Amino acid sequence: MAALAAAMSDASRMKILCALMDGRAWTATELSAVANIAASTTSSHLSRLVKANLVTCLSQGRHRYFRLYSSSIASLLENMMGVTFQASNPSRSKVPEELLKARTCYDHLAGEIAVKLYDSLVTNGWIENDGSDLTLQGKEKLLQLGIKLDAKTKRKKCCPCLDWSERKFHVGGFLGASLLNFFESHHWIEKVPGYREVIITPKGHQGLHRHFLIDI
């Protein structure tokens, strides 16, 4: 734990980790820009993060990309954001409204809309009350919608993830990732390149209301 904390105990490295929370793979050049540091310094920080298994490096041809090591690292960062947000007790007005409404939490949706989605799934009996698993009814309904649920994975099929800004749960696990993929592929949402912010499209407003009874 001390070694992990030491690897994260640098403002520039935390900027890099937070940037990777959007779920994409970034180049060292892009991360250098977002952290506002020199390329050589970025390379050193990335080596430290890779060695600590916080970040993984993907090679594609002559290009190298970096992303978070796993969803568990993303969950750790999201929890840290929640602790920081609560400890510093900032005014919500200082947080961009768009970020509060909807954002990515690595590979699933977070923010006010995501919390409403979680509450809707519980209320309609699509997931268990504790968010630990899908119900039979939920599996049928989501499959009818075209959301993939049968992939072989070691991840939890469904789990509650504490939202740092709402202080309530949103949907994590494989279901959370599947929902985000569905929303994006069906143009219910649009990701803002380089940011965690997510925009709900007019089609998304209609779909969320029709299928999940969510009013935005």
Side-chain angles (χ1 to χ4, degrees), residues 97-104 109-114 196-200:
E97 184 63 32
E98 296 81 3
L99 201 64
L100 292 174
K101 179 172 285 187
R103 62 181 182 274
T104 52
L109 198 62
E112 178 187 347
I113 303 305
R196 294 178 64 188
E197 177 189 337
V198 168
I199 297 172
I200 310 297

Side-chain angles (χ1 to χ4, degrees), residues 71 150-159 173-174:
S71 58
D150 56 351
K152 294 181 180 179
T153 176
K154 294 181 180 179
R155 294 184 65 184
K156 293 180 179 179
K157 292 182 180 179
C158 177
C159 67
F174 183 74

Side-chain angles (χ1 to χ4, degrees), residues 146-147 178-189 203:
I147 296 173
S178 296
L179 286 166
L180 181 62
N181 287 334
F182 175 85
F183 295 157
E184 189 172 14
S185 64
H186 285 72
H187 307 292
W188 288 21
I189 64 170
K203 185 178 180 181

Side-chain angles (χ1 to χ4, degrees), residues 55-133:
V55 167
T56 185
C57 180
L58 308 171
S59 296
Q60 194 157 2
R62 291 183 296 176
H63 301 285
R64 299 173 73 210
Y65 298 89
F66 298 87
R67 66 183 305 164
L68 293 183
Y69 187 81
S70 67
S71 58
S72 62
I73 300 301
S75 296
L76 172 62
L77 291 171
E78 185 77 3
N79 287 336
M80 289 179 68
M81 290 174 191
V83 171
T84 304
F85 186 75
Q86 189 175 37
S88 59
N89 194 28
S91 169
R92 286 177 63 89
S93 63
K94 295 181 180 179
V95 182
E97 184 63 32
E98 296 81 3
L99 201 64
L100 292 174
K101 179 172 285 187
R103 62 181 182 274
T104 52
C105 177
Y106 187 52
D107 63 356
H108 57 273
L109 198 62
E112 178 187 347
I113 303 305
V115 169
K116 287 184 176 181
L117 176 61
Y118 178 90
D119 291 342
S120 174
L121 293 173
V122 171
T123 300
N124 290 308
W126 291 17
I127 62 175
E128 301 293 347
N129 288 333
D130 61 359
S132 62
D133 203 356

